[in-house]
Amino acid sequence: MKKTINWGIVGLGKIANKFAQDIRLVKGARLHAVASRTLGKAQAFGEQYQATHVFGSYEELVSCPDLDVVYIATPHVFHCENSLLFLKSKIPVLCEKPLAMNAKEVKTMINCAKENDTYLMQAIWTRFFPLMEKSMELIEKGEIGAIKSINADFGFHANWNPDDRLLDKKLGGGAILDVGIYPIFITYLLLGKPNSIIVETTLNELGVDETSSIIFKYEDGVMANLFCSLNAHTEVEATIYGKKGKLKLHGRFHHPKTISYGDYYSGITTLNDNYKGNGYQYEIEAVGQDLLNHKKENKLLTHQFSLELTEILDEVLKIAGIEYQQDQI
């Protein structure tokens, strides 16, 4: 059985650099090929991370020999198009979050993966961290009792350059899709789809959402209070309040290094994980194991999970009055 997974990377920006660094931490994984729309950029990236092959177009990467899987790290609006390019050639895909711009695109990607019997997973790295797994275990064991409320936030000061993808609506810019997805993800992971949603959003002069407060309401009075912003630096924490106690994923909760939990009226236990690298190694390992075991989707981030998460994002954006070009197709 083949034990080394040959990775390709599509789109060579900031996240791709961190991902390439962490491939080195995973036994049985290697950076095999990289592709950019600019050959010079691909060559520089490939030299920095010792990639065997470099390409000046994504189409050329499709024909790369011995390629096992590609990581799509392009701007949001290209995720569907770029993923389909490889899925149609039966090349497994790990695509950055959000998986696509809307549920319609996600369905197209899932259908293509199934039609071509090819692996597809959304790269929500948060799901695979050891302390996230531990948190799920503690909650499922009833350590804090039934969940009654969740508070989660993700805000930072963005670079207010009109040319930055975060502010470019044509590239899927905005706080909700870029960072709001994390508070929404953990809430959906723990509570499922909400019964109702309330959203208050501030748009900037470019028509991009810069700050949003979101409330998810469930049965029996359970609620989640979520916040995301491109102009406010927040703690980036998630606190799950249960009937017996609470569990906190300390900042930055989307790649947790510290959690604390316990009863409201007794001691609190704190766990730390000073992992190496950036933290992408855990999803890299997960995808590698899936491929070695001939899986077509990951059991923790299934196709259905990604579709329903996207449907929630669609609803939040709709309530906020935000529409992208892809929603008009």
Side-chain angles (χ1 to χ4, degrees), residues 267-281:
I268 296 293
T269 299
T270 299
L271 300 177
N272 296 295
D273 178 20
N274 295 313
Y275 53 79
K276 296 179 180 180
N278 303 298
Y280 291 92
Q281 63 267 32

Side-chain angles (χ1 to χ4, degrees), residues 293-310:
N293 291 318
H294 308 291
K295 303 293 185 182
K296 304 306 176 184
E297 59 183 304
N298 183 270
K299 66 180 182 180
L300 298 182
L301 285 181
T302 64
H303 293 165
Q304 187 64 27
F305 183 99
S306 288
L307 175 58
E308 292 187 2
L309 177 61
T310 307

Side-chain angles (χ1 to χ4, degrees), residues 40-265:
K41 186 174 183 178
Q43 290 172 332
F45 192 101
E47 182 178 354
Q48 181 177 359
Y49 298 109
Q50 292 83 54
T52 307
H53 303 277
V54 297
F55 300 98
S57 76
Y58 305 154
E59 291 76 16
E60 291 177 275
L61 179 58
V62 172
S63 301
C64 179
D66 301 318
L67 180 65
D68 293 314
V69 57
V70 294
Y71 169 61
I72 306 292
T74 52
H76 308 337
V77 294
F78 302 120
H79 286 179
C80 181
E81 172 189 341
N82 295 156
S83 296
L84 293 177
L85 173 67
F86 294 94
L87 291 171
K88 289 177 180 178
S89 295
K90 301 185 183 300
I91 298 172
V93 169
L94 171 67
C95 182
E96 257 307 327
K97 58 80 192 167
L99 187 55
M101 290 299 294
N102 53 46
K104 182 179 179 180
E105 287 191 342
V106 169
K107 289 177 183 177
T108 299
M109 294 163 70
I110 291 172
N111 289 338
C112 185
K114 290 181 177 179
E115 288 168 2
N116 289 280
D117 195 29
T118 303
Y119 186 89
L120 170 66
M121 189 182 94
Q122 181 172 201
I124 302 182
W125 62 328
T126 306
R127 186 64 184 89
F128 300 97
F129 280 86
L131 285 183
M132 178 58 73
E133 285 288 275
K134 183 62 176 179
S135 297
M136 294 294 292
E137 176 188 332
L138 291 166
I139 291 169
E140 288 170 2
K141 284 183 176 179
E143 192 71 31
I144 65 171
I147 296 173
K148 295 299 181 182
S149 179
I150 294 176
N151 284 358
D153 66 273
F154 197 140
F156 71 102
H157 291 290
N159 176 20
W160 290 99
N161 180 345
D163 296 326
D164 191 298
R165 70 165 185 84
L166 289 172
L167 301 180
D168 191 341
K169 198 168 184 181
K170 292 181 180 179
L171 293 179
I176 293 172
L177 286 183
D178 200 72
V179 294
I181 188 173
Y182 286 111
I184 291 172
F185 157 76
I186 196 167
T187 303
Y188 169 57
L189 178 67
L190 295 172
L191 295 176
K193 277 190 166 185
N195 291 349
S196 63
I197 300 172
I198 300 171
V199 184
E200 289 291 341
T201 296
T202 299
L203 302 178
N204 67 10
E205 62 275 13
L206 301 175
V208 169
D209 59 296
E210 63 179 38
T211 298
S212 292
S213 289
I214 304 164
I215 297 176
F216 285 1
K217 299 178 72 174
Y218 296 84
E219 293 180 357
D220 301 323
V222 176
M223 296 178 66
N225 296 284
L226 314 177
F227 179 83
C228 61
S229 180
L230 297 179
N231 68 359
H233 186 78
T234 70
E235 299 299 326
V236 193
E237 294 180 336
T239 305
I240 298 94
Y241 298 94
K243 188 173 183 179
K244 291 167 47 181
K246 67 179 180 179
L247 184 149
K248 174 182 280 189
L249 292 107
H250 295 256
R252 304 181 107 195
F253 83 85
H254 66 307
H255 53 106
K257 288 190 174 183
T258 302
I259 65 170
S260 59
Y261 65 96
D263 292 346
Y264 289 117
Y265 305 106

